[in-house]
């Protein structure tokens, strides 16, 4: 019988040491690692109680609650460390900012409010947020979070105190807008900060958002609403005067061309435009001293006979190359469903600080699932809160295991899965040492 520590447990420990290094106290770092283990192994809701019981350490419940709600630690360095680790493992091609809705039944959780959501066709009650995703060719992981706080929260002193909303977050920006330089702030200080920012901006005030991104010197590509008003550039041959996006695209739909000659069912068109009545650094001068135009992109699904979507960008390049970036945004909703397994919707506290700390831990847990190649993890050995110190062993062979299987904690696991875990760990170590 060969006894050894499961490879994924090693990966959990190594990732914890790297991303939690900024936590000021050693007991906080131990609690963070134990909490991460609980998030990885607990099925269903990731409450402090459920995770403590799953780990076989009921006393951990209070530590987990204090770590998220009360302990003194900053989540931003943890997020930056996670982004840097992911960048070394799989360099990002873009940062993707995608909206997230978290349904809530009551009114007490920080930022909860009602809003009409056009995609759903009715008003909903909950938290409205944005996640910033590290998007590479092989993985997508959220590395930053923004929670929208409407004025009804920011102008109510009682609510601000109860939710511990920082003074730096001021009122007066409106319930459907992000704070000053939101996406620029989310990308600041992270590896690959000069990468394109790709965002779903259909419910945002686009001119202000574009100015914020340009002020930070970031290339960007955003999905727009068909009602957005744009001004055709002089060389677009669409006449003068502002037009809604959907009307401008209808005038140019005959110019659409296949993105790939082998697939004529996907067609696209690019039109040069300006955003009218807005001044800012993003309107940098063109070669003739005029305002530099932006590119409006649109894609059609010819087999369904419908417009698939439209985007606006300041990035130069061919239509096919720019349209390839939009796929990063399309993948974000699919990945958000996967993050549910790490407790994305399970925070039941009421504080601003607790919400951000919980979401930070969700990001680390999802990164660990992606890096290990394992969407689900086995429970640790019963009665032990720290599997590294437990006697739960990895066994191969013997009359209790079939050929080609390992046993861990009484559960058979395919040898091929453990081989994949070893490859993930070796790759992680080689990237760290390079």
């Amino acid at each position: 019988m060969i006894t050894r520590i499961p490879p994924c447990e090693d990966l959990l420990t190594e990732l914890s040491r790297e991303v939690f290094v900024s936590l000021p106290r050693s007991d906080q770092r131990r609690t963070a690692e134990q909490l991460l283990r609980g998030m990885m192994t607990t099925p269903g809701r990731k409450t402090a109680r459920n995770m403590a019981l799953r780990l076989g350490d009921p006393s951990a419940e209070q530590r987990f609650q204090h770590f998220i709600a009360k302990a003194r630690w900053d989540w931003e360095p943890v997020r930056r460390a996670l982004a840097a680790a992911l960048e070394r493992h799989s360099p990002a091609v873009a940062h993707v900012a995608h909206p997230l809705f978290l349904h809530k039944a009551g009114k007490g959780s920080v930022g909860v409010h009602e809003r009409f959501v056009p995609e759903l066709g009715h008003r909903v009650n909950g938290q409205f947020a944005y996640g910033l995703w590290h998007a590479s060719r092989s993985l997508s992981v959220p590395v930053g979070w923004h929670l929208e706080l409407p004025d009804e929260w920011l102008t109510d002193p009682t609510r601000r105190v109860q939710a511990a909303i920082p003074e730096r977050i001021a009122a007066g920006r409106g319930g459907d807008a992000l704070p000053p330089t939101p996406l620029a702030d989310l990308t600041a200080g992270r590896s690959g900060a000069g990468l394109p920012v790709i965002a779903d901006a259909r419910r945002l005030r686009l001119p202000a958002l574009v100015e914020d991104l340009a002020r930070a010197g970031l290339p960007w590509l955003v999905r727009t609403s068909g009602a957005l008003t744009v001004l055709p550039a002089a060389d677009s041959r669409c006449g003068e005067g502002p037009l809604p996006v959907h009307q401008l695209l209808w005038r140019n739909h005959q110019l659409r061309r296949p993105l790939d000659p082998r697939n004529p069912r996907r067609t696209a068109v690019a039109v040069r435009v300006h955003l009218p009545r807005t001044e800012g650094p993003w309107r940098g001068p063109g070669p003739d001293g005029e305002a530099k135009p932006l590119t409006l992109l649109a894609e059609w699904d010819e087999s369904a006979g419908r417009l698939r979507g439209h985007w606006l960008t300041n990035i130069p390049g061919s239509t096919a190359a720019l349209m390839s970036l939009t796929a990063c945004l399309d993948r974000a909703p699919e990945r958000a469903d996967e993050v549910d397994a790490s407790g994305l919707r399970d925070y039941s506290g009421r504080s601003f600080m607790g919400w951000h700390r919980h979401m930070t831990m969700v990001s680390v847990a999802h990164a660990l699932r992606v890096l290990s190649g394992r969407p689900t993890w086995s429970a640790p050995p019963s009665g032990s809160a720290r599997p590294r110190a437990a006697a739960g062993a990895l066994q191969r062979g013997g009359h209790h295991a079939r050929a080609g299987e390992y046993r861990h904690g009484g559960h058979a696991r395919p040898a091929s899965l453990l081989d994949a875990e070893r490859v993930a760990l070796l790759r992680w170590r080689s990237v760290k040492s390079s």
Side-chain angles (χ1 to χ4, degrees), residues 142-162:
V143 294
W145 297 97
H146 164 74
L147 177 64
E148 296 185 30
L149 297 174
D151 284 350
E152 64 193 70
W153 274 87
L154 297 177
T155 57
D156 187 330
T158 302
R159 278 183 161 183
R160 290 193 69 116
V161 171
Q162 289 176 344

Side-chain angles (χ1 to χ4, degrees), residues 29-242:
R29 295 190 290 274
R30 287 194 299 271
T31 299
E33 182 177 339
Q34 187 183 19
L35 177 58
L36 179 60
R37 186 173 291 108
M39 298 178 78
M40 297 300 296
T41 60
T42 303
R45 295 195 66 222
K46 309 299 187 289
T47 65
R49 179 176 178 80
N50 288 348
M51 290 186 288
L53 292 176
R54 185 69 170 181
L55 293 171
D57 183 7
S59 64
E61 178 182 358
Q62 187 174 358
R63 290 197 301 275
F64 293 163
Q65 291 174 342
H66 182 268
F67 179 75
I68 294 296
K70 301 292 185 181
R72 293 179 177 272
W73 62 277
D74 187 354
W75 55 82
E76 280 299 338
V78 176
R79 294 176 181 178
R80 287 195 293 268
L82 176 62
L86 292 169
E87 182 68 18
R88 289 195 305 274
H89 179 82
S90 183
V93 297
H95 287 127
V96 177
H98 198 275
L100 172 68
F101 169 66
L102 303 172
H103 180 268
K104 297 291 181 180
K107 300 287 187 181
S109 297
V110 60
V112 167
H113 62 286
E114 282 193 7
R115 182 186 301 179
F116 178 79
V117 178
E119 293 84 353
L120 299 177
H122 58 84
R123 296 182 66 84
V124 293
N125 183 75
Q127 294 169 323
F128 298 82
Y130 266 77
L132 184 75
W133 295 70
H134 172 105
S136 75
R137 298 187 186 281
S138 60
L139 57 83
S140 292
V141 175
V143 294
W145 297 97
H146 164 74
L147 177 64
E148 296 185 30
L149 297 174
D151 284 350
E152 64 193 70
W153 274 87
L154 297 177
T155 57
D156 187 330
T158 302
R159 278 183 161 183
R160 290 193 69 116
V161 171
Q162 289 176 344
I165 298 174
E167 294 183 1
R168 61 182 172 81
I169 301 180
R173 64 172 185 265
D176 61 347
L178 293 172
T181 61
L183 304 185
D185 285 348
L186 283 174
T187 57
R190 292 183 171 85
S191 300
L195 291 171
V197 174
I198 305 174
D200 187 333
R202 285 176 290 180
R203 298 198 300 268
L204 302 179
R205 293 199 294 264
L206 190 58
L209 175 63
V210 167
E211 283 195 30
D212 289 342
L213 293 172
R215 190 175 292 110
L218 294 171
W220 51 268
L221 184 150
V222 297
R223 187 166 190 173
T224 68
S225 163
L228 174 71
T229 298
V230 294
L231 184 67
D235 58 357
S236 66
R237 296 175 295 180
C238 293
E240 298 182 359

Side-chain angles (χ1 to χ4, degrees), residues 322-406:
L322 293 174
M323 288 303 305
S324 68
L325 286 176
T326 67
C328 296
L329 186 60
D330 293 337
R331 288 194 295 268
E334 301 171 5
R335 298 297 182 265
D337 291 339
E338 296 174 5
V339 184
D340 279 347
S342 297
L344 179 68
R345 305 176 192 277
D346 293 342
Y347 178 64
S348 57
R350 299 191 173 193
S351 75
F352 178 87
M353 193 165 50
W355 186 90
H356 275 282
R357 288 174 174 172
H358 173 82
M359 298 301 277
T360 300
M361 294 299 299
V362 167
S363 291
V364 179
H366 181 65
L368 187 54
R369 293 182 196 278
V370 171
L371 292 170
S372 67
R374 295 182 59 192
T376 59
W377 281 45
S378 300
S382 178
S384 173
R386 293 181 61 81
R388 288 186 63 89
L394 185 65
Q395 304 176 10
R396 187 174 187 178
H399 64 280
H400 293 296
R402 296 189 300 272
E405 285 187 341
Y406 289 81

